[in-house]
């Protein structure tokens, strides 16, 4: 299972375009998508959009959102 971290995910157009590309690959359908942005309001919007996309596609991807960059990437670092 892949873990994909989008730093700067509060840029909704960037996040939407990147997610729509990545989530259409069957190999990534069970990925964990981690959204990070320092602006909590923009992060909340990106998270809602990502959750909607996953639901509409009917895939098993998991969505996480973190305003703290270290929290967003920490799990991936621990896994190696």
């Amino acid at each position: 299972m892949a873990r994909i971290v989008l730093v700067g995910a509060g840029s909704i157009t960037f996040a939407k375009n990147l997610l729509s590309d990545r989530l259409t690959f069957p190999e990534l359908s069970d990925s964990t998508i981690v959204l990070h942005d320092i602006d909590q309001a923009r992060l909340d919007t990106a998270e809602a959009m990502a959750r909607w996309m996953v639901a509409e596609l009917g895939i098993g991807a998991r969505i996480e959102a973190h305003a703290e960059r270290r929290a967003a990437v920490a799990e991936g670092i621990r896994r190696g």
Side-chain angles (χ1 to χ4, degrees):
M1 168 178 58
R3 180 177 173 87
I4 301 167
V5 180
L6 301 180
V7 176
S11 172
I12 302 303
T13 302
F14 162 75
K16 179 184 75 69
N17 290 339
L18 195 58
L19 285 173
S20 64
D21 288 343
R22 298 301 174 255
L23 294 177
T24 57
F25 287 94
E27 301 85 3
L28 298 175
S29 65
D30 67 345
S31 298
T32 298
I33 308 295
V34 183
L35 308 173
H36 162 67
D37 202 277
I38 59 173
D39 184 318
Q40 187 65 54
R42 293 176 67 97
L43 180 60
D44 292 344
T45 301
E47 180 182 12
M49 183 259 320
R51 290 187 186 283
W52 177 84
M53 289 177 78
V54 166
E56 285 295 308
L57 291 170
I59 60 175
R62 286 160 298 290
I63 303 297
E64 295 179 16
H66 298 281
E68 268 300 314
R69 179 183 46 83
R70 289 177 193 246
V73 300
E75 181 66 23
I77 292 171
R78 284 195 293 273
R79 283 193 217 171

